[in-house]
Amino acid sequence: MGQIGAAFERIRSSGAPGLVAYVTAGDPSLDRTAEILVALSKNGADVLEVGVPFSDPLADGPVIQRASERALASGTTLRGALKMIKATRSRIASPIVLFTYANPILRMGEDAFVTAAADAGVDGVLMLDLPVEEAGPFRARLVAAGIDPIFLLSPTTTDARIRASAELGAGFLYVISRLGVTGARTQVAGDAEPLARRIRAISDLPLALGFGISRPEHVAEVGRWVDAAVVGSALVNIIAEHGAAPDVAEHAGAYVRWLKGHA
């Protein structure tokens, strides 16, 4: 079992919902991202998702799009993000999932990427726009390097694709609670519970549910159906609000602590 699987075992044994926290690498800078990741881990984030900035983030809403634009403007690249993770890894207890689109990996080269990711201490990779039907070769490279391949499921995912994602995936399955782009919402999508129950009937992999999580009551609500909630846009927005301040990492950590009910 990898570090992600161990984290979800701890979540299940705790009886409380886990929290997966997403940040964009390089927003506002790679040095600040490193500080933020350390703070998130120390304040209760069970898994960290590090997004690689990309010029055409089709599934991301305006908050994360702007974060990608800021990160790219600061010169952040996939290689730079991996170097930052490697330099910071010993200070972070939580497992790290790299969240990326296919283009940066293909440009770097799949073999070079997998080698660098394993060397950096990355525990899982989620390639957002990689269809599960075409994932076999890349998935094999990740597994051979000890990295969990993670797949996305949405309300329109068929049972056959859920089954394929569960068979090829490891660590957890990332459940998108609604169609459309990312973004904080005032309430959890109505499709979330039936989707989670449909996946549970097919796979026993841990489930993390995202798109719209922004408050402790959201975390508690989705925790009734899945193992962990994913917070992305709401956290990225906190970082955007305080990005110029020296204590941006403390603000991000305090937000995670609040979501976990420890504020």
Side-chain angles (χ1 to χ4, degrees), residues 12 165-167 169-173 199-200 203-207 227:
R12 286 178 168 178
S165 298
E167 290 173 355
F172 67 97
L173 293 169
I199 298 168
R200 289 280 198 215
S203 171
D204 60 0
L205 273 178
L207 305 182
D227 300 278

Side-chain angles (χ1 to χ4, degrees), residues 62-87:
V63 171
I64 294 179
Q65 284 186 26
R66 287 193 293 267
S68 279
E69 290 167 3
R70 291 190 297 268
L72 290 169
S74 74
T76 301
T77 63
L78 174 57
R79 290 183 186 274
L82 290 171
K83 287 180 181 177
M84 178 273 296
I85 292 170
K86 181 178 180 179

Side-chain angles (χ1 to χ4, degrees), residues 131-183:
V132 67
E133 295 84 359
E134 301 174 15
F138 183 61
R139 181 256 185 199
R141 289 185 175 96
L142 291 176
V143 171
I147 298 172
D148 288 340
I150 297 164
F151 292 93
L152 286 170
L153 303 174
S154 80
T156 58
T157 303
T158 64
D159 287 355
R161 295 194 89 202
I162 292 173
R163 192 168 291 107
S165 298
E167 290 173 355
L168 293 179
F172 67 97
L173 293 169
Y174 190 128
V175 184
I176 298 172
S177 65
R178 66 180 77 235
L179 300 178
V181 298
T182 59

Side-chain angles (χ1 to χ4, degrees), residues 174-261:
Y174 190 128
V175 184
I176 298 172
S177 65
R178 66 180 77 235
L179 300 178
V181 298
T182 59
R185 305 292 202 279
T186 56
Q187 60 186 24
V188 177
D191 289 338
E193 182 177 4
L195 174 59
R197 295 191 184 283
R198 190 157 61 90
I199 298 168
R200 289 280 198 215
I202 295 172
S203 171
D204 60 0
L205 273 178
L207 305 182
L209 188 142
F211 275 43
I213 306 297
S214 64
R215 302 185 59 80
E217 53 266 35
H218 296 163
V219 176
E221 182 179 358
V222 304
R224 304 203 310 266
W225 324 312
V226 300
D227 300 278
V230 183
V231 59
S233 294
L235 176 57
V236 171
N237 200 46
I238 295 288
I239 294 168
E241 290 175 3
H242 301 279
D247 59 350
V248 59
E250 286 78 4
H251 284 284
Y255 181 64
V256 162
R257 199 164 60 247
W258 177 67
L259 287 176
K260 293 277 285 189

Side-chain angles (χ1 to χ4, degrees), residues 18-125:
L19 186 68
V20 179
Y22 171 94
V23 298
T24 300
D27 178 38
S29 68
L30 282 173
D31 287 344
R32 285 292 175 86
T33 301
E35 296 170 8
I36 290 165
L37 291 173
V38 172
L40 296 178
S41 181
K42 287 183 176 178
N43 283 278
D46 298 283
V47 177
L48 301 176
E49 269 192 346
V50 180
V52 177
F54 182 52
S55 57
D56 299 285
L58 300 179
D60 292 315
V63 171
I64 294 179
Q65 284 186 26
R66 287 193 293 267
S68 279
E69 290 167 3
R70 291 190 297 268
L72 290 169
S74 74
T76 301
T77 63
L78 174 57
R79 290 183 186 274
L82 290 171
K83 287 180 181 177
M84 178 273 296
I85 292 170
K86 181 178 180 179
T88 316
R89 195 66 184 90
S90 63
R91 300 165 55 203
I92 298 171
S94 309
I96 293 176
V97 174
L98 202 70
F99 185 102
T100 182
Y101 290 84
N103 187 278
I105 290 178
L106 295 177
R107 184 174 180 181
M108 183 174 178
E110 287 187 8
D111 288 336
F113 165 75
V114 172
T115 298
D119 184 55
V122 170
D123 300 288
V125 170

